[in-house]
Amino acid sequence: MTHAIRFNTTGGPEVLVWEEVAVGKPGPGEARIRHTAVGLNFVDIYNRSGLYPVQLPSGLGAEAAGVVEEVGPGVTDLAPGDRVAYGNSPLGAYAEARLIPADRLLKLPDTIDDTTAAAMMLKGLTVQYLIRQTYRVKAGDTILLHAAAGGVGLILSQWAKHLGATVIGTVSSDEKAALARQHGCAHTINYTREDFVARVKEITGGQGVPVVYDSVGKDTFLKSLDCLAPLGLVALFGQSSGSVEPLNLGLLAQKGSLYVTRPTLFTYAAKRDNLVAMAKELFDVVGSGAVKIDVRQTYPLKEAARAQTDLAARKTTGSTVLLV
């Protein structure tokens, strides 16, 4: 029998249960895959806690890698035995096997192993839309990135440096600052003892930055606005410290005709063609070595609650993978 992590009520990590599930045969447009590795992401905590409401009872997780076991009617571009990964699917990745819409699956190149793929799909596709679509980073840009030592942060820093940008990263410790610098940050700011607004202004000669990538939310958002150059953009793509308070839009005018967006991978990758194009760009930069995926922690899948506890407590750096 196949096992999966599921939850019947929202709450803390203790609501996660390891239970037997029946998977069944794939229907039209579906594939059954056997997972080898599952990615851990902060959005999983949002789903589990109820911050992002889901229909209960529910599975968890939207990123994994594995092997196709069977395809349903109408699926022509996948076959049993294909190595695949995904980072934008219905919830249910925290499982030994599952059914999934085949149009969410991406064939893995031989240059990328399963553990790396599970660590990079959701985060890497997120970075792709952030720096190639939401704000198209270009050579000569100086950008600000919060949580620079996290999974998204380490990928974004490397990719942005590869594009010729200068990355300023905020972190919570000297250890994380060193890690961020190793992965492409030209400047690091320890926000526990430094005012990151003042430091950004100092680094940019008072000009500010054209874009701030902010996944922290409540604790950083208003100060992120203060780091922007006129006409600058805050891309708020997460809220690890809590939800941002309602905003008086007049502040955007006062601070320099600024822009704010709350983008999601779900929207950017909704169309199959867009998803495939985004993944190709991600596979290319990882395959070339321009971006290295740093899997810093692994846990058995059945210990997902412990992994989420460590993630929420900021005990992890880089990417974390749950091994099946």
Side-chain angles (χ1 to χ4, degrees):
M1 181 68 77
T2 296
H3 290 80
I5 294 284
R6 294 180 61 80
F7 60 113
N8 298 296
T9 184
T10 56
E14 70 279 357
V15 304
L16 299 180
V17 292
W18 178 250
E19 62 184 26
E20 291 187 351
V21 294
V23 178
K25 294 181 68 66
E30 288 186 328
R32 175 182 168 126
I33 65 170
R34 174 69 52 178
H35 287 144
T36 53
V38 176
L40 177 74
N41 295 280
F42 224 101
V43 68
D44 303 341
I45 295 175
Y46 299 161
N47 293 135
R48 183 210 72 216
S49 67
L51 181 63
Y52 289 1
V54 300
Q55 185 173 348
L56 298 172
S58 177
L60 196 61
E63 173 183 53
V67 179
V68 175
E69 291 189 317
E70 187 178 356
V71 298
V75 178
T76 58
D77 56 349
L78 292 173
D82 283 346
R83 295 178 59 244
V84 293
Y86 60 90
N88 175 37
S89 78
L91 297 184
Y94 285 28
E96 293 174 326
R98 71 176 298 192
L99 299 177
I100 187 170
D103 69 354
R104 297 294 90 191
L105 295 174
L106 297 152
K107 289 185 183 180
L108 284 173
D110 293 339
T111 54
I112 297 174
D113 64 68
D114 289 12
T115 301
T116 299
M120 69 181 253
M121 294 305 298
L122 189 150
K123 302 172 191 68
L125 292 170
T126 296
V127 172
Q128 195 283 337
Y129 83 69
L130 286 172
I131 70 172
R132 306 296 289 154
Q133 299 183 72
T134 302
Y135 174 88
R136 195 170 178 86
V137 172
K138 58 188 182 298
D141 282 342
T142 297
I143 66 176
L144 176 62
L145 167 65
H146 291 306
V152 169
L154 296 185
I155 297 173
L156 196 154
S157 297
Q158 294 176 81
W159 200 337
K161 181 181 180 181
H162 175 64
L163 294 171
T166 298
V167 183
I168 306 170
T170 69
V171 294
S172 60
S173 70
D174 291 343
E175 178 189 15
K176 290 184 176 182
L179 183 64
R181 287 193 296 272
Q182 291 166 13
H183 288 77
C185 277
H187 307 275
T188 54
I189 303 169
N190 185 334
Y191 63 79
T192 65
R193 62 170 185 261
E194 298 179 278
D195 180 342
F196 71 79
V197 177
R199 287 284 289 120
V200 167
K201 292 297 177 69
E202 178 185 341
I203 292 166
T204 62
Q207 298 300 304
V209 295
V211 63
V212 179
Y213 294 111
D214 190 340
S215 62
V216 178
K218 183 178 179 180
D219 290 351
T220 54
F221 177 72
L222 290 178
K223 287 188 173 183
S224 291
L225 294 177
D226 290 333
C227 293
L228 290 174
L231 307 180
L233 167 72
V234 170
L236 180 71
F237 66 100
Q239 50 201 55
S240 61
S241 69
S243 300
V244 172
E245 297 294 326
L247 177 67
N248 173 5
L249 294 181
L251 283 175
L252 301 181
Q254 295 170 21
K255 293 178 181 293
S257 300
L258 305 180
Y259 296 85
V260 173
T261 184
R262 183 61 175 88
T264 68
L265 176 59
F266 178 83
T267 306
Y268 278 90
K271 295 180 180 178
R272 172 69 179 176
D273 288 349
N274 292 347
L275 173 61
V276 170
M278 292 165 66
K280 181 183 185 306
E281 199 167 346
L282 173 62
F283 291 159
D284 285 348
V285 294
V286 173
S288 72
V291 172
K292 294 179 172 59
I293 305 302
D294 199 355
V295 179
R296 307 278 295 184
Q297 302 83 207
T298 62
Y299 300 77
L301 176 59
K302 65 170 59 177
E303 295 182 19
R306 180 167 67 90
Q308 288 196 1
T309 298
D310 289 349
L311 177 63
R314 301 179 188 273
K315 292 181 179 178
T316 65
T317 55
S319 295
T320 300
V321 171
L322 308 173
L323 297 177
V324 181

